Amino acid sequence: MSVRTQANAVLRLCYFNGLTPLWRTPVLIVAVFLTPFCFLFFLYVVAPHPLLPFGIVGGVMFTTLFTGNGMLNDCGYLRLERQLQQVFVASPMRPLSYVLGMALSELAFALPSMALFFAVLEVVTGFGAVAFAALLGVVALTWLMATSLGFMISTFFRQLREIWPIGTVVFSVLSVLPPLFYPIASIPAPWRWVAFFSPSTYAGQLADRAVGLPLPPIPTVPALGSPWVQFGALVTLTVLFGAASLRLARWREP
Amino acid sequence: MEALVAADLSKTYSGARGRVEALDRVSLSIAPGQLFAFLGRNGAGKTTFIKICSTLLIPTSGHAELFGLDVVERAREVRERIAIVPQEGRPFFHLTPREHVEEYLRVRGASGESARSRADEVLAAMGLRGFANEPAYRLSGGLQQRTLVAMILATEAPFLFLDEPTLGMDPFARRQVWQVIRHATQRGSTVLLTTHYLDEAEQLAQELAVIEGGHILYRGTPEALKSRVHREVRLQFDSGFTVPELRPYGEVFEERGRLTLLTTRSVVPELTRRALERERPIHVGPVTLEEAFLALVGRGIEDEVDPEGGP
Ligand SMILES: Nc1ncnc2c1ncn2[C@@H]1O[C@H](COP(=O)(O)OP(=O)(O)O)[C@@H](O)[C@H]1O
Ligand SMILES: [Mg+2]
């Protein structure tokens, strides 16, 4: 099949797997939105209000990262519970097209929630077009990284029961602990570098920077504070997870 | 050129219970346009064979070619030519039968228009027209299975793998599905179907293979398999008789508490009289594929394979 037919296959998969459930089961939109919103609400009640923009950016990043959890669960579900991945593998659709179509489906789930956070962020910070574009770029990279990671992890399991807790553990650790909802400045200076063990910290820092939020230095490893290093790290991780998921994708069982 | 050639195909799984030899040097060829059935009990190795040939599983040794293309080395080209109903597959939760058929065809490269007309045709043939616009979660298990089969048969792929396609369907629905499968072969598709409904194989297959414990025990036509049982009638007893009592009359098989005797016409009056004297039922019928299978494998097709191994 030609590149055009493959691209078409990706969009079809996104349409029937990602978009149709949204309008048939609108509660899904609320479900995606609810957790980050609760964090934000909590922050609004307990934290000083100047920290609020960090929380809103955190909401955007949380929603983006959780596309990875959705990917992990949905790919596991289609492969193990429905045997439908097999139906697509044993077809002219390429493995890459399947992964992309699934990743786009997850993005479709996340879009309404993201749009809401973007709107709130605009009201609170009044950020401009450049900042918006930069933030979108970070969101796109993070989405690719998270969904690749989710897909990769899903291939290691043979039971859906095992996948559920793993997803919650991995993606909660990635999105709640690192400085996404709160400024990295809240971490004592000598320990800030530790946060960079989480891939999501690079994304979070770039997102904060895109919106123009103040960022402190990282004393122990100053290079980690450089936007170029952060950007390079995010791109590298995305490529790494992406390549690994295509390789490990277990289109075939061993 | 053959549609499918498997040569010395073996598969060993290593799992928690140790190593399982699911296929042991299986060789088989299927001619183009044939409707071929794979018969065997649960755990015999049917799904493993289908998964390898449909590029879903890597064999431990041996190789398989589909239309001359190696299924491991040239998987991409093989995938252009196949479609599969996986065993125990389920449709998408929220999509309707019509969407399943149309969207799958479009993912495989069909135009919107041809997908639509093809969907009309297949949904009608499969008796799904009345449910075409119901989301799958509102359909019964049998209708969900029909949806999945419709989606795959609609592709008219050159090679169709159907792993227990009629599982959970009522007899009427199964006949409808058979009709569509036959139609697919008339249009030139080659079909490999697994089943443990023997009547399905008898009705549909031009040729069949019986597989047991990863070995092929028989390959040929259903008629030839039946004629290997050199007996005319089958008598079945639910109770009231013992194996030693029946053995002098022919072959006796015990299957889930029921005794089956393959024998000659001449003894029917005698045994019928005895059953009636004991006020027990007796069932008389012609020899079917069921008995041929029983005679060949030594056990009924519904008997589960003992996971600990052993016959
Ligand atoms: N993934 C697996 N891991 C370990 N053993 C397996 C696996 N899949 C199948 N088996 C074993 O291989 C044998 C053949 O299974 P299968 O091909 O599914 O048989 P069938 O389709 O005829 O019921 C069985 O003993 C089964 O338990
Ligand atoms: Mg099977």
Side-chain angles (χ1 to χ4, degrees):
Chain A
M1 278 191 351
S2 68
V3 174
R4 225 187 104 214
T5 353
Q6 290 296 331
N8 190 52
V10 170
L11 295 178
R12 294 312 305 181
L13 180 57
C14 169
Y15 164 75
F16 66 75
N17 182 58
L19 288 173
T20 50
L22 273 191
W23 56 73
R24 285 178 200 173
T25 327
V27 70
L28 282 172
I29 302 176
V30 183
V32 171
F33 177 67
L34 210 59
T35 315
F37 177 77
C38 289
F39 281 128
L40 190 61
F41 179 75
F42 190 64
L43 210 67
Y44 180 77
V45 173
V46 302
H49 285 194
L51 292 188
L52 198 59
F54 285 100
I56 305 170
V57 175
V60 172
M61 296 315 288
F62 182 98
T63 312
T64 311
L65 278 164
F66 258 74
T67 57
N69 188 43
M71 186 81 171
L72 173 60
N73 286 308
D74 288 349
C75 291
Y77 178 72
L78 288 191
R79 178 170 60 94
L80 299 168
E81 215 265 344
R82 303 256 143 183
Q83 312 277 327
L84 284 171
Q85 179 177 302
Q86 292 82 328
V87 169
F88 291 100
V89 171
S91 89
M93 188 186 208
R94 300 270 162 84
L96 178 64
S97 307
Y98 179 74
V99 179
L100 269 180
M102 291 303 291
L104 274 177
S105 304
E106 300 305 330
L107 192 62
F109 282 136
L111 273 183
S113 168
M114 270 186 212
L116 218 64
F117 281 113
F118 267 105
V120 176
L121 190 62
E122 174 63 29
V123 170
V124 172
T125 66
F127 69 124
V130 177
F132 179 69
L135 190 55
L136 272 191
V138 176
V139 163
L141 269 178
T142 310
W143 157 69
L144 276 177
M145 177 185 75
T147 47
S148 305
L149 182 65
F151 186 79
M152 191 174 93
I153 299 174
S154 91
T155 63
F156 296 128
F157 293 91
R158 287 225 171 132
Q159 302 293 330
L160 206 52
R161 286 277 201 168
E162 299 168 346
I163 289 187
W164 291 329
I166 286 289
T168 313
V169 169
V170 171
F171 288 95
S172 296
V173 167
L174 283 182
S175 54
V176 180
L177 291 184
L180 295 176
F181 278 96
Y182 62 92
I184 196 167
S186 308
I187 303 177
W191 293 105
R192 277 175 204 153
W193 62 278
V194 177
F196 288 88
F197 276 109
S198 166
S200 54
T201 303
Y202 301 97
Q205 291 299 286
L206 286 166
D208 285 350
R209 188 183 309 272
V211 185
L213 298 176
L215 295 173
I218 316 294
T220 326
V221 193
L224 287 176
S226 147
W228 295 111
V229 170
Q230 291 167 359
F231 182 70
L234 186 57
V235 170
T236 308
L237 286 167
T238 305
V239 170
L240 222 65
F241 292 152
S245 55
L246 278 186
R247 182 160 281 274
L248 290 172
R250 307 267 167 103
W251 300 110
R252 289 187 245 218
E253 295 165 38
Chain B
M1 189 204 303
E2 299 284 10
L4 179 76
V5 178
D8 285 331
L9 215 53
S10 297
K11 179 70 193 179
T12 309
Y13 294 105
S14 34
R17 280 202 316 265
R19 294 154 66 79
V20 181
E21 261 192 64
L23 288 182
D24 186 14
R25 280 167 293 144
V26 167
S27 297
L28 186 72
S29 65
I30 298 177
Q34 217 177 27
L35 213 166
F36 195 96
F38 232 25
L39 281 180
R41 301 189 290 149
N42 266 332
K46 305 180 294 294
T47 297
T48 302
F49 184 84
I50 283 216
K51 277 186 170 175
I52 292 172
C53 295
S54 59
T55 78
L56 296 172
L57 183 71
I58 307 265
T60 309
S61 66
H63 67 268
E65 281 181 4
L66 204 120
F67 300 116
L69 302 163
D70 188 281
V71 297
V72 176
E73 304 297 329
R74 301 177 70 179
R76 181 181 286 185
E77 290 149 277
V78 170
R79 287 169 181 171
E80 306 252 350
R81 293 162 172 77
I82 61 176
I84 179 173
V85 173
Q87 183 180 355
E88 287 174 5
R90 313 262 310 275
F92 285 94
F93 181 78
H94 62 283
L95 296 181
T96 67
R98 167 174 293 284
E99 286 169 326
H100 275 91
V101 177
E102 278 189 31
E103 292 299 337
Y104 187 59
L105 289 175
R106 296 191 68 177
V107 159
R108 294 179 63 110
S111 72
E113 201 179 318
S114 76
R116 210 163 313 128
S117 64
R118 191 79 194 96
D120 282 335
E121 202 180 318
V122 170
L123 292 170
M126 299 272 287
L128 280 168
R129 201 157 34 187
F131 311 92
N133 299 316
E134 289 285 321
Y137 65 84
R138 278 204 228 127
L139 301 177
S140 68
L143 286 171
Q144 293 193 17
Q145 178 68 12
R146 255 194 272 177
T147 300
L148 206 61
V149 176
M151 169 171 131
I152 298 308
L153 288 177
T155 65
E156 299 193 313
F159 204 108
L160 296 166
F161 293 96
L162 312 175
D163 200 352
E164 308 208 4
T166 59
L167 199 70
M169 287 184 197
D170 61 67
F172 183 69
R174 284 170 62 206
R175 276 173 182 76
Q176 270 178 324
V177 173
W178 294 350
Q179 208 43 50
V180 182
I181 295 175
R182 281 196 199 102
H183 199 210
T185 55
Q186 281 155 14
R187 293 200 187 185
S189 295
T190 309
V191 175
L192 172 56
L193 158 127
T194 75
T195 182
H196 55 224
Y197 296 122
L198 289 154
D199 59 330
E200 186 159 298
E202 201 164 355
Q203 289 289 323
L204 267 183
Q206 291 153 351
E207 271 202 86
L208 55 83
V210 175
I211 182 169
E212 167 75 7
H215 296 274
I216 291 192
L217 298 185
Y218 172 84
R219 187 244 155 96
T221 62
E223 292 70 34
L225 180 55
K226 273 192 291 183
S227 71
R228 283 167 51 128
V229 181
H230 301 288
R231 301 290 182 178
E232 302 167 283
V233 282
R234 157 188 90 171
L235 298 179
Q236 287 179 318
F237 309 87
D238 293 324
S239 58
F241 285 82
T242 60
V243 176
E245 183 184 1
L246 294 173
R247 196 167 284 139
Y249 297 96
E251 285 90 13
V252 189
F253 301 96
E254 186 166 6
E255 193 194 357
R256 289 185 296 181
R258 164 182 274 202
L259 296 183
T260 298
L261 171 68
L262 303 183
T263 184
T264 49
R265 268 169 219 272
S266 57
V267 304
V268 175
E270 153 85 18
L271 287 172
T272 309
R273 185 182 50 76
R274 256 196 258 169
L276 291 176
E277 273 168 17
R278 298 176 199 179
E279 299 189 340
R280 303 290 181 180
I282 176 169
H283 310 273
V284 186
V287 168
T288 66
L289 212 47
E290 198 118 8
E291 288 72 55
F293 186 93
L294 208 57
L296 183 69
V297 178
R299 306 181 70 163
I301 198 163
E302 296 296 342
D303 261 7
E304 293 283 328
V305 169
D306 182 357
E308 301 305 320

